[in-house]
Amino acid sequence: MKKRSLGNTGLEISLLGFGGFHLIEIPADRAADLLNTYLDHGGNYLETAASYGDGESEKKIGEIVKKRRDEIILASKTGVRDAGGAMEEIDRSLKNLQTDHLDIIFMHGVGDKADLESILAPGGSLEAAKKAKEMGKVKHIGITGHGQPDVLIEALKTGEFEVMMTHFNYFDNFNFPRLEKKLLPLVRERNIGTLCMKPLADGFLWQNVEDAFRYVFSLPIDAVVTGMNSREMLEMDLNLAAEFEPMTAEEKEELFKNAEELGDYICRQCADCSVSRKFGENIKGVFRMEGYYDRQMYDGRPRNPADYALRDRLRFWFGDKKLAEERYQKLEIKAADLLKKAAEFKACKYGLDVKNKLEIVDYKLGESEIMQ
């Protein structure tokens, strides 16, 4: 399998990484078969977290680690924010994983500025990670985050983290455009190890797996980490990694134009808005807040029960609703204001019904109490 340098860590990581969350869904013997098959095909990155099944994922991976440790870049995560608790969790992870060291320990799921401050403060979990590194229990320190990436950007500017993981995919690229426009350039500039999670947008892109993986493999990242809980899924992902050819700019634009998950509702955040030269930036700003709010998943359209349930489960997955509401109120021009200008708007080149979409945003974030 193709390998890339993991930032400045000195580690060479396989293009496809194995995420351990979904191992809690299957028996230990099936988990062992999948992990061994992955390693046999040249994969070398296994990642889990202390919280996955309260250690169950780590224990299943540990049965493989004890036999094949030298072949593996091994990572786990801690969500504890104080030094004492984080050290206890690191020690428990080492025991569960049957090893004397982790290649990477992640400060997991850093959600906002207050969360980051608690990690960085004296007596915070970063203090434990540094001590564990001095003791040889940990080789490198990383950080993970979800949703709007401002806190990750702030964290990486501190110089404290060698590896960063967050979600990249062609759907959330338009809900959280700073992921690719601001965060990726920063990690590349500083040579920070960069890992992609959620290439299928938490399963939302399940009908377009090949394009979804090819898209993220084509980004300037070091590896794509995904959960695999069946032989069929593992073999598909291994094949996609083995056969990967980078997307051209023309192929990306074709994907953005035709992907059914984007359809005629998701704002593509075009550099030059085709709807209005005067109000284009305002339109994009309003729709960007909708992306933060619920990933633009509620669009007022009837759907079958399975599709509705998936969208309803994922729309607030990253917990950025309050952030969206606060930032929306600070916008100088909101959806209600733009609706008064809608008669002047031109057609969106992606077919969005901008007036209808503004009405929905006003319902989500404005003063409208019912959807018009």
Side-chain angles (χ1 to χ4, degrees):
M1 189 185 300
K2 297 180 180 71
K3 290 184 171 61
R4 295 173 177 174
S5 297
L6 183 61
N8 59 12
T9 64
L11 299 171
E12 292 293 316
I13 190 172
S14 56
L15 181 59
L16 180 70
F18 199 121
F21 177 82
H22 292 285
L23 295 179
I24 67 178
E25 302 166 352
I26 57 176
D29 59 342
R30 293 185 194 173
D33 177 63
L34 294 178
L35 291 165
N36 279 316
T37 301
Y38 166 76
L39 294 173
D40 290 343
H41 281 77
N44 72 348
Y45 182 77
L46 302 184
E47 179 189 291
T48 182
S51 60
Y52 294 172
D54 193 25
E56 181 180 347
S57 172
E58 289 180 330
K59 290 174 183 176
K60 288 174 178 175
I61 292 174
E63 291 300 309
I64 306 304
V65 170
K66 70 179 181 180
K67 302 172 185 176
R68 307 182 67 166
R69 183 66 182 92
D70 292 344
E71 303 173 52
I72 299 167
I73 297 174
L74 184 62
S76 195
K77 312 182 188 87
T78 177
V80 178
R81 299 309 189 223
D82 67 281
M87 185 62 81
E88 288 180 8
E89 198 156 75
I90 290 170
D91 286 336
R92 189 182 75 153
S93 292
L94 293 173
K95 181 180 178 181
N96 288 340
L97 289 163
Q98 302 191 52
T99 184
D100 63 353
H101 74 279
L102 295 170
D103 294 291
I104 307 168
I105 183 66
F106 286 100
M107 308 293 101
H108 188 39
V110 182
D112 54 31
K113 186 174 182 179
D115 199 14
L116 176 61
E117 288 175 349
S118 67
I119 289 169
L120 298 175
S125 53
L126 181 63
E127 185 177 290
K130 288 183 173 181
K131 184 175 181 180
K133 187 175 181 180
E134 292 173 2
M135 299 170 69
K137 296 179 179 182
V138 166
K139 301 297 183 184
H140 305 283
I141 300 171
I143 186 170
T144 78
H146 311 84
Q148 213 288 119
D150 282 0
V151 68
L152 275 182
I153 292 171
E154 184 176 347
L156 296 175
K157 287 179 178 179
T158 66
E160 297 285 5
F161 303 100
E162 301 164 86
V163 185
M164 181 280 303
M165 168 179 273
T166 193
H167 58 113
F168 297 103
N169 55 73
Y170 69 76
F171 179 73
D172 283 321
N173 174 44
F174 300 116
N175 294 312
F176 308 100
R178 285 174 63 84
L179 286 168
E180 293 189 25
K181 292 181 179 178
K182 298 295 183 181
L183 181 62
L184 271 184
L186 175 65
V187 293
R188 294 297 83 183
E189 174 190 336
R190 300 191 174 215
N191 200 20
I192 294 168
T194 308
L195 302 177
C196 162
M197 61 171 152
K198 303 180 184 295
L200 299 182
D202 303 292
F204 188 62
L205 307 181
W206 66 274
Q207 298 181 84
N208 206 1
V209 173
E210 183 174 348
D211 281 336
F213 271 92
R214 192 175 174 214
Y215 177 81
V216 291
F217 284 149
S218 299
L219 294 175
I221 58 174
D222 302 327
V224 175
V225 185
T226 186
M228 296 169 279
N229 62 4
S230 72
R231 170 70 70 151
E232 178 184 18
M233 190 182 297
L234 173 62
E235 290 178 352
M236 176 186 294
D237 294 351
L238 287 170
N239 287 335
L240 290 172
E243 298 170 1
F244 160 65
E245 292 292 338
M247 270 189 173
T248 64
E250 292 75 18
E251 287 173 321
K252 281 189 178 182
E253 178 54 33
E254 191 70 15
L255 177 63
F256 296 162
K257 180 180 179 181
N258 296 319
E260 61 182 295
E261 302 91 353
L262 301 175
D264 60 357
Y265 188 80
I266 304 300
C267 175
R268 281 25 169 226
Q269 296 287 310
C270 301
D272 296 308
C273 179
S274 60
V275 176
S276 173
R277 177 167 296 186
K278 182 176 181 181
F279 294 103
E281 290 304 310
N282 304 113
I283 292 170
K284 289 193 294 181
V286 164
F287 293 158
R288 191 160 56 249
M289 294 307 104
E290 184 190 13
Y292 295 176
Y293 179 79
D294 74 343
R295 302 167 82 183
Q296 305 182 75
M297 283 195 175
Y298 177 74
D299 56 10
R301 300 175 183 181
R303 302 185 183 278
N304 65 53
D307 191 10
Y308 175 84
L310 179 62
R311 285 171 173 266
D312 193 55
R313 176 172 177 259
L314 296 180
R315 61 188 293 231
F316 297 122
W317 197 247
F318 297 138
D320 280 336
K321 181 178 177 180
K322 182 178 179 182
L323 172 72
E325 292 170 339
E326 292 174 350
R327 293 195 178 184
Y328 182 79
Q329 290 306 313
K330 295 178 181 179
L331 293 180
E332 183 178 350
I333 297 179
K334 301 179 178 63
D337 304 310
L338 291 167
L339 281 166
K340 298 174 184 177
K341 308 292 184 181
E344 306 172 19
F345 295 165
K346 298 178 182 179
C348 170
K349 71 176 184 178
Y350 290 104
L352 274 63
D353 183 337
V354 173
K355 181 176 182 294
N356 174 253
K357 189 169 171 64
L358 287 170
E359 290 172 342
I360 292 175
V361 175
D362 190 46
Y363 166 68
K364 291 177 180 178
L365 291 164
E367 297 181 0
S368 178
E369 295 183 357
I370 60 173
M371 192 172 72
Q372 301 299 317

